Amino acid sequence: MPGLFLPCAGGVEALLADEVQRITGTTAEATRGGVWVEGDARTAMRLNLESRLATRVLWPLIDGYYRDEHDLYELARRVPWGEWISPAQTLRVDVSAQRSPLQSLNFAALRIKDAVCDTLREQTGERPSVDTRRPDLPIALFVGPEHATLYVDTSGEALFKRGWREDTGEAPLKETLAAAMLAAAGWQGRAEDGPLFDPCCGAGTIAVEAAQMACGIAPGGQRRFAFERLLPFRAHMAAWREMQQAAQARVHAPAVAVYAGDVSFRMTDFATRNAERAGVLQAIDFKTADALQRPPPAERGVILMNPPYGERIAPKGQGTATAREGFEGGGSSAEFFGALAANWKRQYPGWTAWLLSPDMKLPGLMRLKESRRVPMWNGPIECRLFRFDLVAGTHRG
């Protein structure tokens, strides 16, 4: 099977392929839901440490056709599990399905676990146990209509868990999505990219991701990974320590300014504490201020924001779910976005603004003409990242 598979949020595949190519120096192939890249144990370690856009780094074990759980068991029995864990270690099986005929994904997971345990019991007389919280061997099973693939999840916890976030507020933006917004905007933390500004920063995710990029901080530098406990990686632990040390030595003063703020003192406080844990407090200028009136923090720059949606938004056919906090003062989305655009036209000529929204009619609400719209998924919610090039008094007649 080819190399490694890195899943990502919908719409991010091409951006991830570019990032993986930059990290590994190897051509990456984008496919629906992720990216394939040729690589070995060291490649997997580097991608876990450096990728901002992938949700995991998966190591393919075996794939084949199946009709039922018995076929899945037989498929898993062909894997040399003794090369991956010892009976003293633990495992967990997670199942993802797309148009699968299986009646129970839990039963499918159980049959994979049985195959691992039966293989090791035959070899050693003992069997590993299950740990659903922090397993030594996280196994991922993907089942389609008639095809199944088994992977080792070398990441363990999803990669958006960078290790610095504690205070989130409501409906936090995932770090990987914040990084995808930055990548789509072409902002890489270089001096030539210009200052970055998030005027509705919430828990500070966009600002922290941006500041870490501006300081050369690796996204995986503050956390542990599943591969550190897996048998095939033991021979590479010295190389892993060297990678970590090299990443640490690469950290520098920010190459460009990052500004952030929120109308809520509570959220600005959350964001400040998150920035401190992420090691970038000195690299972000936080200010509690109303985005509808705030003057620009610099002469030119890039605005990047995930504004409040202001209403209950859920994936189609799944009822309602609060996606973001409402608008300050309880106003409507039309009032909020109209006032935001008016402030930008008045005070932000020369800036570029990027807004993530599930409302496809957002440009109309703002009376601005977008120059780009990039499809992106915020979890199960289909959104667009709209780009507006701001000039004084711009509006759509």
Side-chain angles (χ1 to χ4, degrees):
M1 293 184 68
L4 304 162
F5 184 64
L6 285 71
C8 64
V12 180
E13 295 90 347
L15 297 170
L16 175 58
D18 289 344
E19 181 194 59
V20 167
Q21 203 155 328
R22 202 163 58 242
I23 293 168
T24 64
T26 306
T27 304
E29 180 191 342
T31 183
R32 185 176 176 183
V35 165
W36 285 100
V37 63
E38 289 294 334
D40 54 14
R42 293 190 182 206
T43 314
M45 295 189 302
R46 187 169 298 285
L47 287 166
N48 273 297
L49 179 65
E50 303 283 1
S51 176
R52 291 194 173 276
L53 303 177
T55 53
R56 300 177 183 280
V57 179
L58 301 178
W59 185 293
L61 295 170
I62 195 167
D63 71 322
Y65 290 97
Y66 80 101
R67 291 155 303 177
D68 53 28
E69 292 85 359
H70 176 72
D71 291 339
L72 294 176
Y73 175 86
E74 292 300 328
L75 189 70
R77 284 283 275 167
R78 288 161 44 200
V79 176
W81 294 109
E83 294 176 9
W84 285 94
I85 59 167
S86 71
Q89 291 180 295
T90 58
L91 73 143
R92 183 185 71 213
V93 182
D94 293 303
V95 187
S96 301
Q98 199 169 24
R99 294 181 293 126
S100 168
L102 297 176
Q103 298 297 308
S104 166
L105 298 185
N106 285 340
F107 186 52
L110 184 66
R111 294 304 285 148
I112 300 298
K113 182 211 63 144
D114 289 344
V116 180
C117 292
D118 291 349
T119 301
L120 283 167
R121 189 190 285 116
E122 285 174 12
Q123 289 175 357
T124 68
E126 299 177 75
R127 46 161 288 170
S129 54
V130 171
D131 181 347
T132 56
R133 291 181 62 84
R134 194 169 176 267
D136 296 307
L137 177 66
I139 300 167
L141 168 68
F142 286 81
V143 283
E146 51 187 23
H147 198 264
T149 311
L150 271 173
Y151 300 88
V152 168
D153 176 3
T154 68
S155 306
E157 284 200 301
L159 292 181
F160 73 83
K161 296 183 178 179
R162 312 277 204 230
W164 54 259
R165 188 210 285 272
E166 284 181 26
D167 301 311
T168 58
E170 294 181 33
L173 187 73
K174 280 193 171 73
E175 289 81 342
T176 41
L177 182 57
M181 291 168 67
L182 288 159
W187 197 92
Q188 296 178 32
R190 303 164 301 187
E192 60 266 32
D193 295 329
L196 188 99
F197 175 37
D198 180 359
C200 292
C201 73
T205 311
I206 292 172
V208 168
E209 284 292 310
Q212 285 202 334
M213 290 168 69
C215 295
I217 296 174
Q222 287 183 243
R223 54 161 285 172
R224 306 296 298 272
F225 299 96
F227 69 74
E228 296 177 69
R229 303 187 298 279
L230 293 172
L231 297 182
F233 286 84
R234 287 193 177 167
H236 303 285
M237 282 299 102
W240 170 237
R241 302 286 169 245
E242 284 173 18
M243 264 182 221
Q244 288 178 304
Q245 287 160 11
Q248 192 59 44
R250 207 177 60 211
V251 177
H252 54 75
V256 67
V258 176
Y259 301 94
D262 202 279
V263 71
S264 157
F265 279 100
R266 174 174 151 265
M267 294 313 296
T268 314
D269 185 49
F270 276 172
T272 302
R273 294 210 297 267
N274 282 332
E276 187 169 18
R277 273 188 294 273
V280 291
L281 183 58
Q282 306 309 315
I284 305 173
D285 185 341
F286 284 108
K287 183 177 179 183
T288 302
D290 187 347
L292 304 184
Q293 297 168 6
R294 183 172 175 177
E299 191 179 332
R300 295 278 186 278
V302 176
I303 297 167
L304 187 68
M305 58 188 285
N306 176 39
Y309 298 159
E311 55 192 359
R312 288 180 171 272
I313 292 177
K316 289 176 185 144
Q318 289 189 27
T320 58
T322 305
R324 285 293 305 274
E325 293 176 343
F327 299 106
E328 197 68 20
S332 70
S333 59
E335 290 167 346
F336 175 84
F337 288 113
L340 185 66
N343 185 43
W344 285 354
K345 292 168 198 172
R346 192 168 58 248
Q347 301 201 74
Y348 287 78
W351 283 69
T352 303
W354 296 79
L355 273 76
L356 185 72
S357 176
D359 186 351
M360 305 303 160
K361 296 175 182 170
L362 181 72
L365 291 178
M366 302 186 76
R367 298 183 70 200
L368 289 170
K369 178 73 180 123
E370 79 277 16
S371 57
R372 277 190 68 195
R373 53 169 69 200
V374 182
M376 271 187 191
W377 290 79
N378 185 356
I381 303 168
E382 185 177 359
C383 296
R384 292 293 181 275
L385 183 64
F386 294 96
R387 171 179 166 154
F388 302 104
D389 301 305
L390 306 175
V391 294
T394 348
H395 68 88
R396 263 194 334 194

